[in-house]
Amino acid sequence: QVQLQESGPGLVKPSETLSLTCTVSGGSISSYYWTWIRQPPGKGLECIGYIYYSGSTNYNPSLKSRVTISVDTSKNHFSLKLNSMTAADTAVYYCARVVVTPLYYMDVWGKGTTVTVSS
Amino acid sequence: DIQMTQSPSSLSASVGDRVTITCRASQSISRNLNWYQQKPGKAPKLLVYAASSLQSGVPSRFSGSGSGTDFTLTISSLQPEDFATYSCQQSYTTPLTFGGGTKVEIK
């Protein structure tokens, strides 16, 4: 069965860029959409954006100026870059698979990785 | 953005109780509504997609209904493992947005 694993630094300094990778195992990254979602402490879930395996992307307008999501099909992983980090970006970051038929939903999730923004 | 409002934000219930959680969208989203369960320190788990379709492996005591702007998630007989936070999510348009969550606690 498909499993997702986030990796990346747990601590980022203010103004720096966060880089996370989500590795897909047990299945191919092809033919699916993939998404990054975050959850600030004690708050709800926020979709950062998603990417098709072909590379087309869709970003949340609230983060669009700071976000880049990319995919590497040869490594079966996709990545998130979020620049100009502030304390407000402190959150648990999840990657997930997006099913689009019949409708969009996230059926497989990574365990999440905690990112703290602090100097 | 489409705003998703859940009610109540929390509730206390006993094992065996019937529990209903409501989710309201700020505009019509047809049946583009999903429900997730999240336990402390864990990732969300998909329960229901397309308003009423039960995800594979999810117990039949969970059910979803609704269309347009008003949706419900019902747990017919609450079990000990069901104490968790439940969130709705609309997939009608981007950005995909979530409700604030409903925490189901033990009475």
Side-chain angles (χ1 to χ4, degrees), chain B residues 22-85:
Chain B
T22 297
C23 179
R24 175 164 289 175
S26 60
Q27 66 182 73
S28 177
I29 58 171
S30 185
R31 296 179 59 79
N32 294 265
L33 191 283
N34 309 314
W35 290 98
Y36 299 87
Q37 176 194 66
Q38 188 175 22
K39 296 182 178 179
K42 301 294 186 182
K45 172 188 174 183
L46 177 69
L47 297 178
V48 172
Y49 63 93
S52 61
S53 295
L54 203 63
Q55 172 68 348
S56 176
V58 173
S60 58
R61 63 181 179 272
F62 291 93
S63 63
S65 65
S67 66
T69 60
D70 295 318
F71 301 85
T72 59
L73 175 72
T74 299
I75 309 172
S76 61
S77 178
L78 198 64
Q79 297 302 299
E81 60 268 30
D82 300 337
F83 292 95
T85 297

Side-chain angles (χ1 to χ4, degrees), chain A residues 33 49-52 54-59 64 67-71:
Chain A
Y33 286 82
Y50 57 83
I51 187 166
Y52 193 42
S54 63
S56 62
T57 55
N58 185 295
Y59 299 138
K64 189 174 184 177
V67 173
T68 302
I69 298 176
S70 58
V71 64

